[in-house]
Amino acid sequence: MQWQVYLEKAQSSLRVAEMALTSGEYDSCVSRAYYAMFQAEIAALIKLTDFRPSQWGHGRVQAEFNRRLIHAQKIFPAGLRFIHSDLIGRRHIADYEEKRIGRMTAERCVKKAKEMVIEIVRVLKREQL
């Protein structure tokens, strides 16, 4: 598995989230922000662990990222451990509920996703050296 592919997907999803934010498409923004973070987590798991599930389930990715890369190996700061839970909750509202996401919530989601993606990129690029 190529971790770089998932990192490229994460960066693309983040760019689309930012474009959706700019154009006022807040539900789509939150959905893409979540996927940016999720795809970055997958890239980190592929590059830094031996975890290779048959499917990249959302809950399992979060659990393994937190367990292996935050708690056990301490590669990532503990402050990242709740971003997945927060963003998936917002994504479920954006994708599956009648309620609409507002601008401030969308901005916070992009900020959190960006923080996660930037930190994962920083670590994975350092690990390449």
Side-chain angles (χ1 to χ4, degrees):
M1 291 183 159
Q2 297 277 331
W3 62 270
Q4 296 95 331
V5 171
Y6 286 95
L7 196 58
E8 289 168 7
K9 286 176 179 274
Q11 292 169 320
S12 175
S13 290
L14 186 57
R15 284 191 301 274
V16 172
E18 290 171 329
M19 288 188 289
L21 179 62
T22 300
S23 65
E25 297 294 339
Y26 304 131
D27 290 333
S28 295
C29 168
V30 168
S31 185
R32 285 294 94 198
Y34 167 78
Y35 277 103
M37 177 271 321
F38 179 67
Q39 292 157 336
E41 286 178 325
I42 292 171
L45 286 166
I46 291 171
K47 172 77 172 151
L48 303 171
T49 75
D50 61 355
F51 179 63
R52 301 293 184 277
S54 58
Q55 288 188 321
W56 293 101
H58 297 266
R60 186 90 188 271
V61 166
Q62 176 190 19
E64 294 299 325
F65 182 87
N66 288 348
R67 184 175 71 79
R68 293 170 185 253
L69 300 175
I70 293 177
H71 298 298
Q73 297 181 38
K74 300 189 185 332
I75 294 173
F76 294 101
L80 298 183
R81 72 184 182 278
F82 298 115
I83 292 177
H84 187 116
S85 294
D86 185 38
L87 290 183
I88 198 168
R90 306 284 183 210
R91 184 186 70 87
H92 283 161
I93 293 168
D95 288 346
Y96 306 122
E97 294 185 17
E98 290 181 20
K99 182 179 176 183
R100 302 294 305 255
I101 298 290
R103 180 183 55 81
M104 288 179 60
T105 298
E107 287 173 349
R108 282 193 302 270
C109 289
V110 168
K111 182 180 177 185
K112 288 180 181 185
K114 194 172 195 172
E115 174 187 350
M116 186 82 141
V117 171
I118 287 170
E119 182 63 17
I120 290 173
V121 166
R122 185 186 68 74
V123 169
L124 296 185
K125 297 296 182 181
R126 181 184 72 215
E127 293 294 323
Q128 267 190 301
L129 301 176

